[in-house]
Amino acid sequence: MNTNQNARHIYKAEDIDWNGLEAAGISKKQLETSGDMELLLQGKETEIVPLKLRTPVISLTMDATLKLVPDGNGRPVMEINGLRQKETPEI
């Protein structure tokens, strides 16, 4: 990355809990490959990404956008905005 790109970053990749995100199904490598990492580090929302979130008690598959937001201590946490399916009117 060049210095000009870093100047626009409000977050640092090393401050993100990648182990926690990976455990939930969000891959650092996937975000880098898609180009969404740059948007995240700038505090912007990603394009629509397919997610399969896994925890010990749920498995959730959805399309969503991602955005880094500060937690109460200023550390970046991932905000996931699931897309709502448009409802079709009943006939």
Side-chain angles (χ1 to χ4, degrees):
M1 250 181 254
N2 69 39
T3 308
N4 292 337
Q5 285 179 319
N6 289 335
R8 295 190 312 250
H9 292 173
I10 61 174
Y11 298 107
K12 295 179 183 175
E14 59 267 20
D15 292 338
I16 300 168
D17 179 3
W18 292 112
N19 290 331
L21 289 174
E22 188 76 36
I26 297 175
S27 162
K28 179 179 180 181
K29 184 176 181 178
Q30 179 185 6
L31 293 171
E32 290 172 335
T33 301
S34 69
D36 285 323
M37 179 68 78
E38 186 66 23
L39 292 170
L40 288 171
L41 297 178
Q42 293 176 20
K44 297 179 181 177
E45 195 169 40
T46 66
E47 298 294 324
I48 297 170
V49 294
L51 289 180
K52 182 163 185 165
L53 302 175
R54 299 175 305 276
T55 73
V57 294
I58 66 166
S59 177
L60 174 67
T61 302
M62 67 179 176
D63 290 333
T65 58
L66 307 174
K67 184 178 181 181
L68 289 173
V69 296
D71 69 3
N73 297 312
R75 292 183 299 252
V77 294
M78 192 69 71
E79 178 180 272
I80 299 171
N81 297 301
L83 302 179
R84 293 185 181 180
Q85 189 173 12
K86 291 184 180 179
E87 293 184 26
T88 55
E90 292 184 27
I91 300 177

